[in-house]
Every structure is written in C-alpha cells, then in structure tokens.
Amino acid sequence: MLRVVSWNINGIRSPLQSLGCQIPSNCSTVLRHILEELDADIVCLQETKVTRDALTEPLAIVEGYNSYFSFSRSQRGYSGVATFCKDSATPVAAEEGLSGLFANLNGDVGCYGNMTEFTQEQLRALDSEGRAVLTQHKIRTWEGKEKSLTLINVYCPRADPGKPERLTFKMQFYRLLQIRAEALLAAGCHVIILGDLNTAHRPIDHCNAGSLEWFEEDPGRKWLDGLLSDLEYHAGSHIGSFMDSYRYFYPKQERAFTCWPVITGARHLNYGARLDYVLGDRTLVIDTFQAAFLLSEVKGSDHCPVGAVLNMSCVPAKQCPALCTRFLPEFSGTQLKILGFLVPHKQEPMWEQQVLQPSHQIQVQKQQKSQAHRYSSRPQKHQGGSRRCQRNLMSYFQPSVNLPQTSPAVDLPRLPLVGTLVTPKTQEEDVIARTVAEQTKVSEVKDKKAVQTLFWKSVLSGPSPTPLCRGHREPRVMRIVKKTGPNMGRHFYTCARPQGPPNDPSSSCNFFLWSRPS
C-alpha cells in the first residue's frame, strides 16, 4: 500500500515550535516525529514560508527521508512547498515549478505541453513564488505491472478581493497546472495533484455558501468543474481528466472542512471550508485508490492534513534526483565556508629568524642603542618636586598670604528698632491664634491630597469596562483591523464566542462595534 498525505503547514517552523523545538539541532528529530505521526510514504507540505538562505540542515535533511523544496524568489517568509519521501519511496525524478524554466536537465520530470499562450515573463512570475514541486516515482500495481506516477505538490494562489490582478494570476496558475498535468497524462504517466487549491468546489464544501453572491459563478469553481469528472454518470455528464478522491468515497459527506479562520475560533464549531484536495486521474482513482481521509484532529495550522491510500507499492530509485536537498552545496559539504579562510598563521622559530635575517637583527640592535643614548642624554627630573610640579587642588582654597588679617569678629549688642511697639498678647489670644493656624494648615493638606487623588485616579483609571454583546450579554473582545485600507489600525469590538452556524446558539452573535478613540 502507498499512503500519501498533504498538509498546508502554515510555516514549517510553526508546528515545531508548538512541540517545543527551541534548539535548532532538535528540529530534525521533531520534524521526523511529525512525519512519522502522519504515517505516510510521501508527505507534501504547503506554505512552508522558508527561503533558500533561511533553510537549515535540520529542516532540510531528516533521517529516513529525502526532501525536495521550492522557495519563493519574490518575497521572504512567503509561500513555498516541500515534499518528503521515505527512502523506500525515493523518486526517480524531481523538478521545481510547472513551466520548466527552473529545470536543470538532470533528473527532471519533463513533459511540459503547449505553453505558447504564456510569455516567458509570465511563466517566470508564476514559478517564482515557490508553489509547485513535482516528484516522479516508479510504482508496481497489484497486478505486478510497473508504471510511472507523478505527484504534483501545489499551493495555489489566493484571490484577494481588493487586488484584481491576483485573480488573474490565480487563473493563470490554474491553467498552467492543467496544461502540465494533462501533458504528463498524455505521455502515459499516472498523475496525482495534491495540496491547497484555495477554492471550495461545491456548496457542500463551504460553511456559508448560501450567503455568498455568485458562488457558482466563481472562476476557480468553474475551472474545477472542467478539470474534474462528475461523480454521477448520466447522459450529458462531464468527464474530466481527474477525480476528487474524497468525494469519490464520500459524495454526500457534509461539514468535511479542511481550513478554518483562526481569529474567529471557527475550528471549535467546525465552521470552515474544504480547500485541500487529493486529485487523481480517473483510471488511477477507480482502479487503485482504496481510501481517502481528513485528519481534522491534527493541530498546528489553520489547515488539517488530507490524504489517500493506494493499492500499489513504490520501487525506490537507487539514487536521489539532483533536486534533493542533501545535494545542495551548503548541506553536501562542497560549499566553502568563511572559516576555511581563517587559518592560524604559523610563526617561525627564533633560531630560523636569526639565521635567515642577521643583517636585519644588527640594524635593530643599532637602533635600540641609539635610542637608549638619546634618552640617557636628556636631563633627569628632580625627585623632590619643583616649582613647575602640579599643584594640589586644596591649595586653591587656602587664604592668600598677601591679604591683611582681619580682627576677630566681635558680637555687638542688638538694640530694638526705634519706633517699634511691642504689644504683649494675652494667653487666650495666643491659644486661639495657634488653633486657627493649625486648622488652616490641616485643611490645606486635605485639599492638596484630594486634588492629587483626583489627578491620579484620572490618569490611572485604566480601560473602561468591556461592553457586553447584544446576543449573549457577555463581555466582548477587542480586535484590530490589519487589512490595508482606510480602517487599518482601528479597534473594534466583536462577540467573544467562536464563529459557527447561524442556527447554533453557542456560536458568535456577529455583534460589531467600532471602539471610540481614547
């Protein structure tokens, strides 16, 4: 049996960190643990978000597996796919991209089809985001026949509603993918397309298809309609080149979603869409597919893994194709490192220097003698101090000798001012005056404390109490707009419950309120 799994991992380092991979040397062990938990002969990962310069050896080389990466050349931390094959399923050929522009003519898959409708610039742009890796395997069917099987690991673009050019890019990528897959089929090779296609095909594959305008008219869904065969055969039904393996086994299964919005917590109530597929050519699905599955219990990403089981076995190649990461210069040991140039310099022994350079030593000795004679001819400093020595700081504060000494101060009797009348106070008046003064002082202190208290209360009052949502009368949660536009950076309140079906009372009440600026 051959088991294949596809997973949009949303960053290859994200699930590693969630499993406690903090030391890079441990990442290889943790990644191997993830691959073994998926229990597949071939694991296809999408959205690795790692570029060539950021790829480390523990992520690239895993014991028992051979891996093949495609990196984004246009943006860091973006897109990227990787295919990990067990050594028992080593491919005979591997290639990056769909157009063939990145092929190195050494172990490539080939079979490109007619791509004349694209310019060279368009083909390079479609393959520069690291969205496809092809691996070709030699398989043995249950009948004992040996055939070729090509796996196309893809991460299809997403159509941003605010960027119409991305919809054009997405449809061009779909078209290029179909041309390459059908060319491989025409050459007599079985083909599996697996990965994140970024389109929910049918209304049953989307949690909220009924409220979306023009759901059936979406260009991506129309493309899938043309690529896939109808599951129900009747007069006039469309027969495409490929079949959806999950719907082949579960045509009526509802809420079979593979992707959920993270911010709204929709995964708790299984409120998402099915964007990840394992598509096989019609003959392959009907004759050899034994099962298809979704691993919704596997966490670590906003997607869950999907896969299929085929009634066949792989015949491993004797050597990995040239695209294998273990052949990259930085991992194969053929790339020169800067430490190789920093070799410590060997110092020659002293007797060799004396023998080889006697004249130079005599000149140095003469220079040393002349310098010693020059220094000895200088006048020596007096040991006992001199007039030009540095003065002590306290000498500036001593009285000057030239000033005449003044006579000692004499205390003169103080006479009362002329015209000043002293009126003696009675004892009662003195008590009253002291009492009034004390009361005045106490009131001033209380007023000062009251003013300070009001000031600090206004400064340290903290945020205002969280308002309640109208549906559940529960505290709402504050979020921030991160999408580019006029409201970017603004805060708003929404219901704290996870997003779910409208008829589910435990789901969010869809409350929304802009936060007032403080």
Side-chain angles (χ1 to χ4, degrees):
M1 292 294 180
L2 177 67
R3 179 182 169 100
V4 297
V5 168
S6 171
W7 188 17
N8 182 322
I9 202 168
N10 193 21
I12 193 171
R13 288 165 288 195
S14 300
L16 301 183
Q17 293 173 355
S18 65
L19 291 176
C21 177
Q22 303 297 335
I23 304 176
S25 60
N26 295 337
C27 292
S28 179
T29 306
V30 178
L31 182 57
R32 183 183 179 187
H33 172 72
I34 292 176
L35 295 176
E36 291 178 350
E37 285 295 319
L38 294 176
D39 190 23
D41 299 286
I42 303 173
V43 178
C44 298
L45 305 178
Q46 300 88 42
E47 206 170 358
T48 57
K49 296 183 179 180
V50 62
T51 50
R52 170 76 178 271
D53 60 336
L55 182 66
T56 58
E57 187 170 348
L59 292 177
I61 302 177
V62 180
E63 183 181 357
Y65 293 83
N66 47 91
S67 59
Y68 309 86
F69 279 73
S70 178
F71 310 98
S72 173
R73 292 166 168 81
S74 58
Q75 186 177 344
R76 291 181 60 87
Y78 176 73
S79 189
V81 296
T83 299
F84 287 83
C85 304
K86 280 187 176 180
D87 291 340
S88 58
T90 302
V92 297
E95 185 177 332
E96 179 185 7
L98 299 172
S99 65
L101 294 181
F102 298 149
N104 54 18
L105 302 179
N106 184 14
D108 295 326
V109 176
C111 301
Y112 301 102
N114 186 5
M115 300 181 181
T116 56
E117 60 187 89
F118 299 101
T119 64
Q120 290 294 311
E121 291 75 13
Q122 289 175 333
L123 292 175
R124 187 168 297 276
L126 290 170
D127 272 346
S128 292
E129 293 188 357
R131 295 186 176 274
V133 161
L134 286 74
T135 54
Q136 192 170 76
H137 306 260
K138 183 182 289 187
I139 59 172
R140 184 178 289 113
T141 64
W142 61 276
E143 299 172 342
K145 298 180 180 180
E146 290 189 357
K147 297 184 178 180
S148 293
L149 170 65
T150 301
L151 271 72
I152 307 179
N153 176 12
V154 292
Y155 173 46
C156 296
R158 174 181 173 270
D160 192 338
K163 298 179 180 179
E165 67 276 6
R166 292 302 293 179
L167 176 59
T168 303
F169 186 86
K170 177 178 181 177
M171 298 312 300
Q172 289 176 344
F173 187 88
Y174 278 158
R175 177 59 182 161
L176 182 62
L177 172 61
Q178 184 174 359
I179 292 175
R180 185 69 188 273
E182 291 178 348
L184 289 165
L185 283 176
C189 181
H190 287 299
V191 178
I192 293 178
I193 302 173
L194 70 168
D196 180 3
L197 299 187
N198 251 320
T199 296
H201 186 202
R202 301 293 187 190
I204 195 176
D205 299 320
H206 199 284
C207 63
N208 199 20
S211 62
L212 298 178
E213 297 182 1
W214 311 103
F215 183 86
E216 300 289 348
E217 301 299 322
D218 180 78
R221 295 182 179 91
K222 286 189 173 183
W223 175 79
L224 280 174
D225 290 340
L227 181 72
L228 303 178
S229 295
D230 292 336
L231 299 176
E232 298 178 359
Y233 296 99
H234 52 80
S237 61
H238 175 71
I239 300 177
S241 303
F242 292 86
M243 296 186 70
D244 182 351
S245 62
Y246 186 82
R247 287 303 174 199
Y248 178 76
F249 291 98
Y250 308 100
K252 303 296 183 181
Q253 180 66 45
E254 297 182 353
R255 300 173 64 81
F257 304 137
T258 65
C259 179
W260 304 265
V262 176
I263 297 178
T264 59
R267 190 166 188 170
H268 296 285
L269 299 177
N270 191 22
Y271 197 67
R274 192 169 74 97
L275 306 180
D276 305 85
Y277 300 82
V278 179
L279 310 178
D281 64 82
R282 294 181 68 256
T283 304
L284 187 69
V285 172
I286 295 173
D287 294 344
T288 64
F289 271 63
Q290 298 296 304
F293 53 86
L294 311 177
L295 301 177
S296 57
E297 71 278 3
V298 177
K299 303 297 192 299
S301 171
D302 55 340
H303 292 248
C304 76
V306 301
V309 178
L310 290 75
N311 187 14
M312 61 174 62
S313 60
C314 266
V315 180
K318 295 181 179 180
Q319 185 177 2
C320 298
L323 187 65
C324 183
T325 52
R326 67 179 60 171
F327 297 139
L328 294 177
E330 55 265 39
F331 303 138
S332 62
T334 60
Q335 185 181 48
L336 295 177
K337 299 182 179 180
I338 192 171
L339 292 179
F341 297 95
L342 304 178
V343 180
H345 179 67
K346 291 184 64 176
Q347 188 175 1
E348 297 179 354
M350 292 300 297
W351 65 272
E352 293 183 0
Q353 294 180 3
Q354 294 175 0
V355 172
L356 295 177
Q357 300 177 355
S359 60
H360 176 70
Q361 185 176 6
I362 294 173
Q363 293 178 1
V364 172
Q365 292 177 356
K366 289 183 178 180
Q367 292 178 0
Q368 292 177 353
K369 289 181 179 180
S370 62
Q371 291 178 0
H373 176 71
R374 189 189 317 157
Y375 293 147
S376 61
S377 61
R378 292 181 180 177
Q380 299 294 327
K381 294 184 179 180
H382 296 284
Q383 300 295 330
S386 63
R387 297 179 180 179
R388 300 178 62 116
C389 65
Q390 185 176 4
R391 300 179 64 183
N392 190 2
L393 181 63
M394 296 302 298
S395 63
Y396 293 97
F397 299 95
Q398 295 177 359
S400 177
V401 181
N402 299 327
L403 295 178
Q405 294 292 334
T406 58
S407 59
V410 179
D411 292 335
L412 299 176
R414 297 182 180 180
L415 300 176
L417 298 177
V418 179
T420 302
L421 299 177
V422 179
T423 306
K425 292 185 178 180
T426 61
Q427 186 177 2
E428 294 181 358
E429 292 178 350
D430 191 17
V431 172
I432 293 174
R434 284 201 304 267
T435 304
V436 172
E438 290 177 359
Q439 291 179 354
T440 304
K441 188 174 182 180
V442 171
S443 62
E444 289 178 356
V445 172
K446 288 183 177 180
D447 293 342
K448 187 177 181 180
K449 288 184 177 181
V451 172
Q452 292 178 350
T453 303
L454 291 176
F455 170 75
W456 287 112
K457 281 186 176 181
S458 63
V459 173
L460 304 177
S461 59
S464 56
T466 304
L468 305 179
C469 66
R470 296 174 182 172
H472 309 100
R473 305 302 299 171
E474 296 175 350
R476 294 173 283 188
V477 62
M478 177 182 287
R479 304 193 187 280
I480 185 172
V481 180
K482 297 183 179 180
K483 187 176 180 181
T484 305
N487 292 323
M488 184 175 181
R490 291 189 63 184
H491 293 79
F492 62 92
Y493 292 103
T494 184
C495 182
R497 294 198 181 191
Q499 188 178 9
N503 56 356
D504 189 346
S506 62
S507 63
S508 171
C509 61
N510 295 327
F511 178 83
F512 178 87
L513 178 66
W514 286 113
S515 174
R516 296 180 180 179
S518 57

